[in-house]
Amino acid sequence: MTHPSRDHTLAHSGEETLLLDHVAPAAHPKVVRDELIAAAEWVSQYLSDLVTAPVSRPVPARQRALLRNASLGRTGSELGRVLDFVREDIAPFPTGNGHPAFFAWINSPPAPAGLIAELLGAAINATCGMGENALMDLERGGVRILADLAGLPVTAGGVLTSGGSMANLLALATARTWFLNRRGSGDGPAYDRDHARLTLYYSAQAHMSVAKAAACIGIPAHRLRPITSDPQHRLDPDALRAAVDADQAAGLLPFCTVTTLGTTATGAVDPLEPVTALCRRVGMWHHADGAWGGLGAVVPAMAPLYEGVAGVDSLTVDPHKTLSVPVGCGALLVTDPEHLHTAFAHRASYLTACEPDTLPWLSHATIELTRPGTRALALWATLQHLGRDGITTLIEHYLTLADRLREKITASPRLELLAGGPWPVACFRLTDTTGSDPDALHTRVAHHVQTAGRAYLATVTVDGRTVLRACLCNYRTTESDLDLLLHEVLHAADRDREAQVRPPR
Ligand SMILES: *Cc1c(COP(=O)(O)O)cnc(C)c1O
């Protein structure tokens, strides 16, 4: 009889060894354990060291070429090579979104609970697409919690996605199927006739993934209607109504309006109730893109803006933005999940359950079949680590920091605040732009800040002007990082001024 603790020695003796030696993924359990421990130690050290390292370091051209031209040797390498490679060739060149002085885009650092869960989930390696397994039910549970936080009705369901873009794509495909089926034009000549008239509405401030998703489902650009926004960069319901009426009069078929909760450029929240009312009147689907701001209902200060959120047909949320779940975690929430299943449930003989499942598989609610269970576990771990209060406090922390940043900008005679809010972002510019094209100047200043490596921000176009944009979505950011950012901006402006007066030879 073999003692369990000797199993691995058995597997590595005699003929077994010969076999396993030819199957590279198999490694001695002790080696696997040592490497996992080494990796875990490196990760925790890396996360602590990030704060004192440069925010971002561009990948040297030589290094980039080396990575791009990667070749594969004939013989494999030791398991330890994985950590060595990451340490030496990847980690020294971060984009910067782990660093507290990183303010570009909406790019959060990873929450530790999510990091741990990703590793554990990868070991379990469940696929959340077919069959029944614990992680698939956990995904359903995570989706339920997100829907509840967002203020959707208890009937709501949905599916996790790789991010907001994919969620928006699923939403538009669902809206299209729902709309055509209701008209009895789900297939046949009626489909061709009606599909060629489908028209989509969204605010001019909507994320570009909306137009991209429209292209993917076959809505050409000439049937997209970016609606003008008001001075606070919110969708103007009157302009929307006028566009829909004009299109209907012209024989087109308005099938969906997309509102944005937390616009990417300025953090605006579109009005929900007037849009839902219009959608009900003309039979359109109301999709809300809340990739950044979809969970605003949990924050008392913002809740009034989310009145009526329960009336939307679908909502995109992006836990990898708002909650710092490691990248690769978005969700589409649908008030009546049946519509999602109508759009995506396709059956095949090689995919039948042994036991008839009581619930639709998650692959029947999305495009993917084999889907990562790591995503469900990382979401669950992050949500549970935060708790409901922690989620509110986290978003409130960003709101407070954004208020402080806007105050500091307003207080500086050299800076002017142009837009930002209610989601935590500040769009601002230099007051003195004499001698430079202002758009080019702000692009250069952002670039100087990025390359100096002490803080990081990006530019954005607001009301036709290129301006600096700082976004708060890093739980490690503190007030001193705000001061550092503004110091870096002014320093970059001074350096730019000198370079313009005395161009480098
Ligand atoms: C970021 C963002 C998206 C896209 O989400 P990804 O996760 O990057 O694919 C869509 N809509 C809005 C409003 C966003 O801010």
Side-chain angles (χ1 to χ4, degrees), residues 286-303:
H286 182 178
H287 174 62
D289 177 4
W292 187 19
L295 301 180
V298 294
V299 180
M302 280 201 288

Side-chain angles (χ1 to χ4, degrees), residues 380-443:
W380 177 87
T382 308
L383 289 170
Q384 298 301 327
H385 182 64
L386 285 166
R388 190 176 254 275
D389 287 350
I391 291 167
T392 305
T393 313
L394 176 67
I395 299 174
E396 283 173 343
H397 171 67
Y398 297 143
L399 297 182
T400 306
L401 282 175
D403 283 344
R404 291 295 298 133
L405 179 61
R406 295 187 202 112
E407 283 161 24
K408 287 171 195 285
I409 291 167
T410 308
S412 165
R414 295 184 62 190
L415 299 172
E416 180 193 2
L417 181 70
L418 291 172
W423 278 81
V425 64
C427 300
F428 61 108
R429 62 207 308 269
L430 298 159
T431 42
D432 182 6
T433 58
T434 41
S436 269
D437 162 24
D439 289 353
L441 169 67
H442 289 101
T443 306

